[in-house]
Amino acid sequence: MNDKQAKELVRDTFESEFKKEKFDKFITELLKKNFDRSKALPKRSGNQAVPEKYRDFITSWERLGRYEDPEGRIIDVLIVYLKKGQSLYRSRVAQRNFVADYLRGNLGTKSLKDAALVAFVSPDEEDWRFSFVKLEYKKEDGKVKEVLSPAKRWSFLVGKNEKSHTAQSRFLELLKSDKEPSLEEIQKAFDIETITKEFFKEYRDLFIKTKLELDKIVKENPAVRKEFEDKNISTVSFAKKLLGQIVFLYFLQKKGWFGVEKGKDFGTGPRDFIRRLFNGEYISYKNFYNEVLEPLFYEALRVDRSFNDHYYDKLNCKIPFLNGGLFDPPNDFNWVDIDLLIPNELFSNEAENGILDVFDRYNFTVNEEEPLEKEVALDPELLGKIYEKLNAIREDNFDEYLKALKSSAKENEFNKEYGVYYTPREIVHYMCSESLIYYLESQLDGKVSREDLEVFVNFADLFIENEKVAQKKAENGNENTKYKYKIPESIIQNAEKIDKLLDDLKICDPAVGSGAFPVGMLHEIVKLRQLLSVYTKNNLNTYDLKRHTIENSIYGVDIDSGAIEVCKLRFWLSLVVDEESFKDIKPLPNLDYKIVRGNSLIGFPEDWRSDIGNKISELESKYFSETHPDRKKEIKKELDALILKRLENSEGVLGYKVDFDFRLFFPQVFKEKG
């Protein structure tokens, strides 16, 4: 198979709704002559084919065949059909565990398999998921045994609404080769790291081009130059924010929230809204940034326009009000009166190296990658990696940065001198798990052993479907069942207490960076409380549980303003992914007093909030959910004044001899005080 044929095969398979014959052809070309069709199994459904714990999620499955790689490892090829009403995203844990049970031989297939290539198909969706699912095994006394660990899944989201650029880049060489691929080569095709590195290089070039274009505009346009000088706006920070805003929209358009027709629900909009907007499908324009993006950012997304059908009168489509602060003009930039005429070619051009040209080539997913669930697409963690690489660049060292790009060694030296370091996801997950185990062990006074807590925290994903059925059987008095509890009895007996401990937990990351640790803790807390709800019946949907946890449990501090903005973005996206409303999308919360810019090396006095703490807490809670821009400013002004008053009354602050200085902890409070 030549290069052109391979690309066409991938495009034909992955840029349309699922077709069994197309998928079959792709698999045949990928796995070559060792793909054994005699091992095919026709579609299986019913109670014997689908265990009870999965029947709310899966209706049937079939096996196209079996592949044995050059090392003798077995990879089965499956199609799994989801139940009507079950989305590819929301039932992902059940999907993964179902295939894991299949690989273990628990679905009537008996023998252990090493891995599976699986097409997950939902009757409600135009897209589908192509996954590689793998279990870990070890040899003991000459026999192969499974390690007690959940399965891991790597996936491409493909279909009518997705581009196949990423899939082409990953499978091209395997399709063109005459050799049968090894298990490792197949797994490598699902590796997201290569894609992330490729995207960052293009993103970096776009940032440089945008910054230099802004420099030219500032130099040639006196009105823009004066505004940037008066508002202390640098072209570096403006370029970073502009690209960040556009990336955010690329994540969100995957929800179908933009470009919605009048009278239709959110979720029905095109998944390529930004490209259509640029193409003039909604309104005509001369300058894309000045006439389209600025009103979109600073009016449609920032101000509640539900009274006029969500901005329909301006853009000829519905746009959701998002709130949250992301779309506040940088440093109160006067976008209404100042014409910032960024050339349209910066966004898209014949050379196909504009911002939209580059972004259109990649798949974006709002879902944060989890330790067991990895999507081959650009996810919100990307924002953290971009922050890591670009945070070092400032106005005063930009020229030095350009020189450093001439060699990878010099670029690394630059990043070491000025940059920040991003903690790998696996380490973040370990830190979060161990912290929660230690916290619960210390609070439960010996009622639950550490060993039981380790099973609870580390294997919640693996056991949740089983626990739901076991609890249901127990409530119905059905003791003679194969569905026994797998979570330790001590956890079940203390479920209410553990849930309360997790609800009361307060977490502060003193160097939040781009939010890896607090976002990781958010996911862990939500996962554990969802498992506990099986026993406690304290059922909260995922969105409400996340929002409650962010409001009541998570805090972060960082001395770098760029880190604060990226951290907020990741929290907002973590809520967006679980937003289920299609009539009225919930506005994003304000995180200004949850994720704070400051110096955490400087402490608080013990009586920090003893006199006005209740008032501050009350206003913070009110500010968290406020949506009107003017009222937000009023509450913020009152909050800052109260904090400032408390600090001025603290001995040693503002000129007195002290061991710490709160001006460094809350610099925004002292902005006007000097």
Side-chain angles (χ1 to χ4, degrees):
M1 179 173 284
N2 62 36
D3 192 87
K4 182 181 178 182
Q5 291 171 326
K7 287 181 179 178
E8 287 178 353
L9 176 61
V10 173
R11 193 180 302 116
D12 193 41
T13 306
F14 293 144
E15 290 190 12
S16 62
E17 294 182 26
F18 179 78
K19 299 292 182 185
K20 179 180 174 181
E21 59 274 16
K22 290 183 178 181
F23 181 63
D24 195 326
K25 182 179 179 181
F26 171 81
I27 289 295
T28 301
E29 295 292 343
L30 178 71
L31 301 181
K32 314 294 188 295
K33 62 182 180 182
N34 275 6
F35 182 48
D36 186 356
R37 295 179 178 281
S38 70
K39 301 293 184 182
L41 292 173
K43 187 183 288 189
R44 295 186 166 194
S45 58
N47 293 349
Q48 288 187 328
V50 182
E52 184 177 357
K53 60 185 176 180
Y54 300 119
R55 287 176 204 158
D56 286 342
F57 310 100
I58 292 165
T59 60
S60 58
W61 60 275
E62 62 181 294
R63 185 169 71 200
L64 291 184
R66 172 167 293 168
Y67 175 71
E68 185 174 329
D69 86 338
E71 300 295 324
R73 276 83 58 94
I74 300 299
I75 303 173
D76 279 4
V77 181
L78 310 175
I79 305 172
V80 175
Y81 299 92
L82 305 188
K83 189 174 181 180
K84 191 172 180 59
Q86 285 295 332
S87 75
L88 292 166
Y89 168 70
R90 298 196 190 288
S91 60
R92 63 194 186 283
V93 174
Q95 295 167 34
R96 186 176 68 242
N97 288 342
F98 176 81
V99 177
D101 271 354
Y102 170 85
L103 295 175
R104 295 184 187 101
N106 294 339
L107 302 186
T109 56
K110 296 181 181 179
S111 62
L112 290 171
K113 275 75 66 176
D114 294 278
L117 287 166
V118 190
F120 292 94
V121 184
S122 167
D124 303 321
E125 300 182 46
E126 296 176 321
D127 296 333
W128 49 288
R129 200 174 292 278
F130 178 43
S131 301
F132 176 76
V133 185
K134 182 184 176 187
L135 278 177
E136 298 295 336
Y137 297 105
K138 67 178 180 179
K139 281 191 175 181
E140 194 173 284
D141 299 328
K143 295 181 179 180
V144 176
K145 293 187 177 181
E146 181 197 352
V147 178
L148 180 59
S149 66
K152 292 183 179 180
R153 180 171 77 152
W154 296 259
S155 301
F156 288 89
L157 181 64
V158 296
K160 187 176 178 180
N161 298 304
E162 298 293 329
K163 297 293 185 183
S164 64
H165 167 79
T166 301
Q168 287 178 36
S169 70
R170 306 313 293 146
F171 289 107
L172 207 58
E173 294 306 316
L174 293 179
L175 289 168
K176 288 161 56 179
S177 173
D178 294 329
K179 294 171 55 180
E180 286 78 20
S182 67
L183 184 147
E184 288 81 11
E185 287 173 325
I186 294 172
Q187 182 173 337
K188 188 177 179 181
F190 289 82
D191 179 21
I192 182 55
E193 288 303 316
T194 303
I195 303 302
T196 303
K197 289 176 182 177
E198 174 190 304
F199 176 79
F200 172 73
K201 288 180 180 177
E202 296 199 75
Y203 188 98
R204 178 194 63 195
D205 293 342
L206 290 173
F207 161 71
I208 292 170
K209 284 167 60 177
T210 304
K211 195 271 183 198
L212 294 175
E213 197 60 58
L214 287 167
D215 283 342
K216 190 185 301 181
I217 294 170
V218 168
K219 182 179 179 180
E220 296 174 356
N221 189 318
V224 174
R225 182 167 64 252
K226 186 176 187 306
E227 181 71 7
F228 272 46
E229 289 173 352
D230 290 348
K231 301 292 177 63
N232 194 28
I233 302 170
S234 72
T235 54
V236 163
S237 63
F238 200 99
K240 286 180 182 179
K241 178 141 189 172
L242 174 57
L243 286 172
Q245 288 168 324
I246 296 174
V247 165
F248 193 78
L249 295 185
Y250 266 78
F251 282 121
L252 263 60
Q253 70 180 357
K254 293 301 181 183
K255 299 281 289 184
W257 284 0
F258 302 137
V260 176
E261 294 180 25
K262 193 170 187 176
K264 291 194 175 182
D265 291 344
F266 288 111
T268 60
R271 269 56 173 181
D272 58 348
F273 168 74
I274 309 302
R275 170 55 66 178
R276 295 186 185 208
L277 194 61
F278 183 84
N279 289 346
E281 293 185 27
Y282 297 96
I283 59 169
S284 58
Y285 63 85
K286 290 183 179 179
N287 185 273
F288 183 61
Y289 179 77
N290 196 58
E291 299 171 48
V292 180
L293 285 186
E294 283 189 336
L296 174 65
F297 291 162
Y298 305 132
E299 278 188 346
L301 296 167
R302 179 172 174 255
V303 181
D304 189 355
R305 299 279 177 168
S306 54
F307 63 86
N308 67 358
D309 209 4
H310 302 279
Y311 214 66
Y312 187 88
D313 61 330
K314 298 287 185 70
L315 281 179
N316 298 311
C317 64
K318 288 167 59 175
I319 300 292
F321 163 56
L322 292 182
N323 192 42
L326 170 64
F327 296 103
D328 288 339
N331 289 21
D332 289 325
F333 172 67
N334 184 7
W335 67 275
V336 176
D337 298 321
I338 301 294
D339 289 330
L340 184 55
L341 303 177
I342 298 174
N344 295 338
E345 291 73 24
L346 180 68
F347 298 96
S348 186
N349 54 60
E350 289 186 5
E352 297 186 345
N353 60 7
I355 296 171
L356 306 191
D357 300 321
V358 171
F359 289 6
D360 283 346
R361 290 198 286 270
Y362 292 88
N363 302 92
F364 288 79
T365 174
V366 186
N367 183 33
E368 283 262 3
E369 181 186 304
E370 301 169 25
L372 305 176
E373 193 76 33
K374 301 177 186 294
E375 194 159 322
V376 190
L378 302 173
D379 78 351
E381 190 194 29
L382 168 74
L383 298 170
K385 293 181 177 178
I386 289 172
Y387 162 73
E388 174 197 8
K389 300 291 187 182
L390 297 187
N391 179 68
I393 308 166
R394 303 188 299 268
E395 201 70 43
D396 61 359
N397 67 10
F398 181 75
D399 291 339
E400 183 183 347
Y401 177 71
L402 292 182
K403 292 177 183 177
L405 292 180
K406 293 178 180 178
S407 77
S408 57
K410 289 182 178 179
E411 185 181 2
N412 288 335
E413 287 177 14
F414 180 91
N415 287 330
K416 285 180 181 179
E417 181 176 356
Y418 294 105
V420 295
Y421 296 91
Y422 191 79
T423 309
R425 203 185 308 249
E426 292 76 15
I427 295 176
V428 170
H429 174 63
Y430 175 79
M431 290 167 62
C432 293
S433 300
E434 288 299 304
S435 297
L436 286 170
I437 292 168
Y438 175 81
Y439 164 72
L440 292 173
E441 183 183 21
S442 67
Q443 297 297 312
L444 287 167
D445 299 324
K447 293 187 174 104
V448 181
S449 69
R450 181 178 178 86
E451 289 75 17
D452 286 356
L453 287 171
E454 287 174 347
V455 172
F456 169 58
V457 172
N458 292 326
F459 300 109
D461 270 349
L462 182 61
F463 297 143
I464 188 164
E465 293 93 6
N466 180 86
E467 298 304 282
K468 286 177 180 177
V469 177
Q471 180 71 4
K472 184 178 178 181
K473 300 288 186 187
E475 289 171 356
N476 294 335
N478 188 351
E479 298 296 333
N480 297 320
T481 174
K482 63 180 180 179
Y483 285 102
K484 302 292 185 182
Y485 291 117
K486 293 189 177 181
I487 290 295
E489 182 66 24
S490 63
I491 299 292
I492 300 171
Q493 290 176 349
N494 291 279
E496 293 277 2
K497 185 175 180 61
I498 296 171
D499 188 63
K500 183 69 166 57
L501 287 171
L502 292 173
D503 189 26
D504 291 342
L505 180 59
K506 306 293 182 189
I507 300 156
C508 181
D509 186 341
V512 77
S514 60
F517 181 74
V519 169
M521 288 297 284
L522 171 67
H523 288 304
E524 290 296 313
I525 291 169
V526 169
K527 176 185 74 176
L528 296 178
R529 293 197 67 193
Q530 284 177 325
L531 175 58
L532 290 169
S533 72
V534 173
Y535 320 115
T536 65
K537 303 303 178 187
N538 295 334
N539 249 329
L540 283 172
N541 66 47
T542 305
Y543 177 91
D544 290 337
L545 189 50
K546 278 186 177 179
R547 189 177 176 111
H548 174 83
T549 304
I550 291 169
E551 182 175 4
N552 295 281
S553 297
I554 308 276
Y555 302 86
V557 182
D558 203 284
I559 200 166
D560 183 77
S561 59
I564 298 301
E565 293 306 311
V566 173
C567 183
K568 289 178 184 177
L569 283 180
R570 292 182 68 181
F571 274 117
W572 285 324
L573 287 171
S574 74
L575 286 172
V576 164
V577 71
D578 288 299
E579 171 63 83
E580 296 176 347
S581 172
F582 294 107
K583 293 291 184 185
D584 293 297
I585 294 169
K586 300 180 185 74
L588 296 169
N590 303 300
L591 302 176
D592 292 26
Y593 294 93
K594 305 296 298 177
I595 312 298
V596 180
R597 185 183 173 210
N599 187 342
S600 59
L601 297 178
I602 298 162
F604 286 105
E606 291 183 4
D607 64 343
W608 154 237
R609 285 192 170 176
S610 59
D611 52 351
I612 57 173
N614 290 338
K615 181 63 176 174
I616 289 175
S617 296
E618 178 188 330
L619 284 173
E620 284 181 348
S621 180
K622 188 177 179 181
Y623 183 79
F624 184 82
S625 300
E626 183 55 64
T627 59
H628 193 281
D630 291 338
R631 288 196 293 270
K632 280 163 61 176
K633 285 183 180 179
E634 290 172 6
I635 298 171
K636 192 174 190 307
K637 185 177 180 181
E638 187 176 356
L639 255 173
D640 288 349
L642 282 172
I643 294 171
L644 179 59
K645 181 179 178 182
R646 180 65 187 89
L647 297 179
E648 287 176 332
N649 291 337
S650 298
E651 181 181 354
V653 176
L654 298 180
Y656 298 93
K657 185 178 179 182
V658 288
D659 294 322
F660 45 77
D661 190 334
F662 289 101
R663 284 172 292 185
L664 296 178
F665 203 96
F666 282 106
Q668 72 269 26
V669 174
F670 296 92
K671 186 175 180 182
E672 295 180 1
K673 290 282 180 177

